[in-house]
Amino acid sequence: MRVLIVNTSEKTGGAAVAANRLMEALKNNGVKAKMLVRDKETDQITVVELPHPMRRQWPFMWERLCIFFHTRFSRKHLFEIDIANAGTDITHLREFKEADVIHLSWINQGMLSLAGIRKILNSGKPVVWTLHDEWPATAICHYTNGCDRFKTSCHHCRLLPGGGGPGDLAARVWNRKKRMLATHNIHFVACSRWLEGEVKQSALLTGQSITSIPNPIDTHIFRPTDRHDARMAAGLPIDKRLILFVSQRVTDARKGMDYFVEAIDRLVAAHPGLRDDTGVAILGGQAEEVAERLALPAYPLGYVSGEKRIVSIYNSATVFVLPSLEDNLPNTIMEAMACGVPCVSFHVGGIPEMIDHRKNGYVAATADAADLAEGIRWVLCDADREALSREALSKVASCYSQHSVAMKYIEVYNQAMAFKRYHL
C-alpha cells in the first residue's frame, strides 16, 4: 500500500509533527508512506516538497492579502482564518499518481485550495483526512470558541468585523465547501474523541465517514532518562523542582499563559517557601517575555528544534503544565507523558482523554487558575510521583504507540479503498 500524506510543513507546528510521526509509524508497519509538503526542512528522502520554489509561497501571500482585506486591514485574527482560495494543484505530481491513498493532514495557509481539493476528489483516489482542528467542519475558523453556527450554516463570523458585512465571506466559503463535499466521500479521522464529537455536529460533514484515532509517538525517542543527566544536558538547575511549560509560541493566548502566570502567583502566595526550591522552565518562542512575569525563578529556553535536547528538557521536569483554552490532542502532553512526567491541564478538548485525573496527572476546571495552582501543588507536594509516572508511561504504551496507531490507520485506508472499489 502506498500512502501520500499531504501537510503544509514538514516539521513546524503540532500537525506537522503528528503527520511526520504517522509517516514513520506507517513505514515501520509495512506501508510505503511519503509526505508531500510546501515547507521541507530536512533531507528526509520520504518527504517531498512542492516544485517551483519561487512560486509556492504566492498562494499563501494571496490568501493572507484577501483575508487582510476582509478583516479591514486588522492583523487581530489574520492567522485564525483560512479561506483556501489559493494553493497548488498536486494531482499532476508523480507522488500523487503513484499513491493508493491520498491522506490530507493540515493543508492550510496556501498549501491546497478548495479547487485543488476538489481535483483530488475528482481523481477517483480514496481520500483520508486527519482533522487536527475544526476547519474542515466550519467555514473559515480553526476553533469555534463556543460558536455553534457550523451545526447549521456558517455566516456572520465572529472573527470578521461586523460579522463579515456585505458578501459575507464565511457564508461564501461555507457554500463552496458544501458543494465540494455534496458529491464526494472522504474518510475523516479526528485526533480525539472530543473533536470527533464536535465535527459530527457539522452540517458540512453530514453523511461523511468520521472516526477518531490519536496521534502516535515514538517511545524509542521520547522515553524516561536519568533526571540529573537530563538537567545537565538541558542546562537546568539540578537542585530544584521544575515546572515546565512548552509551546511553539508561549505568548499564544490559546495556550493559556495568563492563567499559568496567575496560578504560579497563587501557588507562591500560599506557599512562599517554593521560591527557594522550585523553578519554572519555559520552552518555546518568546519565552524571555514571559519569564519576568513569574513569581518563581524562571529559565527561558527559547525555541529548540533538536529532538535530543527537547527530550532532555522533558526529563528535567517534575511536572508539565499546559493550561490550553482550546486544544485537540496536544503533542506536548503526549511527549511529557512518554517521558514519565505527570501533566496538569484544563478540562479542554481531547486533554481529559490523555490525562486521567489524579492517576497520571491533574485535570483542572477550565479557565480556573486557582484549580490549576492546586493541581501543580498536588503533583509537587502530595502525589506519589513514581506512581503517576508509571501510569503516564502505561497510558502512552497502550494508546499512542506507533504500532497501535498505524494499525488503526491501515484499517481506515482499507475501508476507504474498498468503498471506492464498490462505488466505481
Side-chain angles (χ1 to χ4, degrees):
M1 184 190 302
R2 295 176 183 269
V3 175
L4 182 65
I5 300 172
V6 184
N7 199 79
T8 302
S9 173
E10 178 185 2
K11 288 283 191 179
T12 301
V17 171
N20 214 291
R21 289 174 180 169
L22 177 60
M23 177 184 68
E24 294 301 326
L26 293 169
K27 285 160 55 180
N28 291 338
N29 285 275
V31 176
K32 295 179 179 178
K34 288 185 176 181
M35 272 182 74
L36 175 65
V37 301
R38 184 192 67 195
D39 304 326
K40 183 173 167 65
E41 299 164 64
T42 73
D43 57 2
Q44 169 65 263
I45 60 173
T46 55
V47 178
V48 182
E49 63 184 338
L50 292 177
H52 310 302
M54 297 300 291
R55 296 184 201 168
R56 56 181 178 240
Q57 292 296 333
W58 281 109
F60 166 76
M61 291 187 285
W62 174 245
E63 183 187 37
R64 288 311 108 185
L65 183 61
C66 292
I67 294 170
F68 195 40
F69 173 79
H70 281 281
T71 59
R72 298 179 188 170
F73 307 105
S74 167
R75 294 179 56 87
K76 185 176 181 181
H77 300 302
L78 185 58
F79 289 94
E80 296 176 51
I81 295 171
D82 275 288
I83 59 176
N85 64 330
T88 301
D89 176 10
I90 67 171
T91 58
H92 67 283
L93 299 179
R94 177 173 60 85
E95 291 77 16
F96 181 90
K97 294 175 180 178
E98 290 176 348
D100 299 309
V101 177
I102 305 303
H103 185 149
L104 305 183
S105 187
W106 200 86
I107 47 74
N108 297 111
Q109 295 192 359
M111 177 67 188
L112 296 181
S113 65
L114 292 179
I117 296 172
R118 184 186 285 273
K119 281 191 173 184
I120 293 169
L121 295 171
N122 287 340
S123 74
K125 288 184 181 286
V127 175
V128 173
W129 193 341
T130 292
L131 308 178
H132 297 282
D133 55 39
E134 296 171 87
W135 184 83
T138 71
I140 62 175
C141 72
H142 291 270
Y143 288 94
T144 59
N145 194 29
C147 174
D148 61 1
R149 286 175 179 162
F150 74 104
K151 297 177 183 179
T152 52
S153 175
C154 284
H155 59 281
H156 295 100
C157 181
R158 63 183 172 82
L159 299 177
L160 297 173
D168 198 335
L169 178 64
R172 282 191 284 131
V173 176
W174 174 273
N175 288 330
R176 291 186 67 199
K177 286 185 176 182
K178 187 176 181 179
R179 288 193 297 271
M180 179 183 76
L181 293 169
T183 55
H184 293 94
N185 181 272
I186 297 175
H187 285 66
F188 288 99
V189 178
C191 294
S192 67
R193 295 190 298 274
W194 164 78
L195 186 57
E196 178 188 5
E198 286 289 300
V199 300
K200 277 183 173 178
Q201 300 177 69
S202 170
L204 274 180
L205 304 191
T206 301
Q208 298 288 340
S209 170
I210 305 170
T211 189
S212 61
I213 302 174
N215 298 325
I217 191 165
D218 189 343
T219 52
H220 293 99
I221 296 173
F222 289 89
R223 60 185 179 83
T225 63
D226 180 80
R227 183 179 295 174
H228 180 277
D229 292 346
R231 291 188 176 187
M232 292 293 288
L236 291 166
I238 60 175
D239 59 345
K240 289 181 180 290
R241 294 177 296 190
L242 287 179
I243 302 165
L244 175 63
F245 182 100
V246 178
S247 178
Q248 184 178 354
R249 181 169 58 87
V250 301
T251 54
D252 182 354
R254 188 169 61 86
K255 294 299 182 179
M257 177 53 76
D258 288 343
Y259 290 93
F260 181 71
V261 171
E262 183 182 346
I264 297 298
D265 284 344
R266 287 174 175 269
L267 194 63
V268 173
H271 307 278
L274 290 175
R275 286 194 182 95
D276 299 325
D277 62 6
T278 306
V280 179
I282 311 166
L283 174 61
Q286 301 177 331
E288 294 80 3
E289 295 180 24
V290 173
E292 60 190 25
R293 297 173 57 194
L294 294 166
L296 288 173
Y299 307 95
L301 301 168
Y303 182 79
V304 175
S305 58
E307 248 177 8
K308 194 170 181 181
R309 182 147 190 255
I310 291 172
V311 171
S312 293
I313 292 167
Y314 278 118
N315 274 283
S316 299
T318 311
V319 58
F320 175 71
V321 182
L322 184 69
S324 291
L325 301 174
E326 293 177 304
D327 231 322
N328 181 15
L329 200 81
N331 289 322
T332 51
I333 289 180
M334 193 183 301
E335 290 163 357
M337 291 175 66
C339 294
V341 180
C343 300
V344 177
S345 192
F346 286 145
H347 193 287
V348 164
I351 290 172
E353 299 168 33
M354 309 175 80
I355 303 174
D356 301 312
H357 187 52
R358 292 183 179 267
K359 187 175 180 182
N360 57 31
Y362 190 100
V363 182
T366 304
D368 187 336
D371 198 20
L372 187 70
E374 170 56 21
I376 299 169
R377 187 209 62 79
W378 180 76
V379 173
L380 289 177
C381 304
D382 289 353
D384 181 340
R385 192 183 181 284
E386 292 304 317
L388 292 178
S389 180
R390 286 194 302 271
E391 291 293 340
L393 294 172
S394 175
K395 181 68 173 279
V396 169
S398 62
C399 297
Y400 310 127
S401 71
Q402 282 193 338
H403 178 73
S404 66
V405 172
M407 289 300 102
K408 291 175 183 176
Y409 266 109
I410 290 169
E411 183 178 353
V412 171
Y413 296 151
N414 285 327
Q415 290 171 356
M417 289 190 292
F419 182 90
K420 279 294 181 184
R421 286 195 297 270
Y422 181 77
H423 288 84
L424 283 177

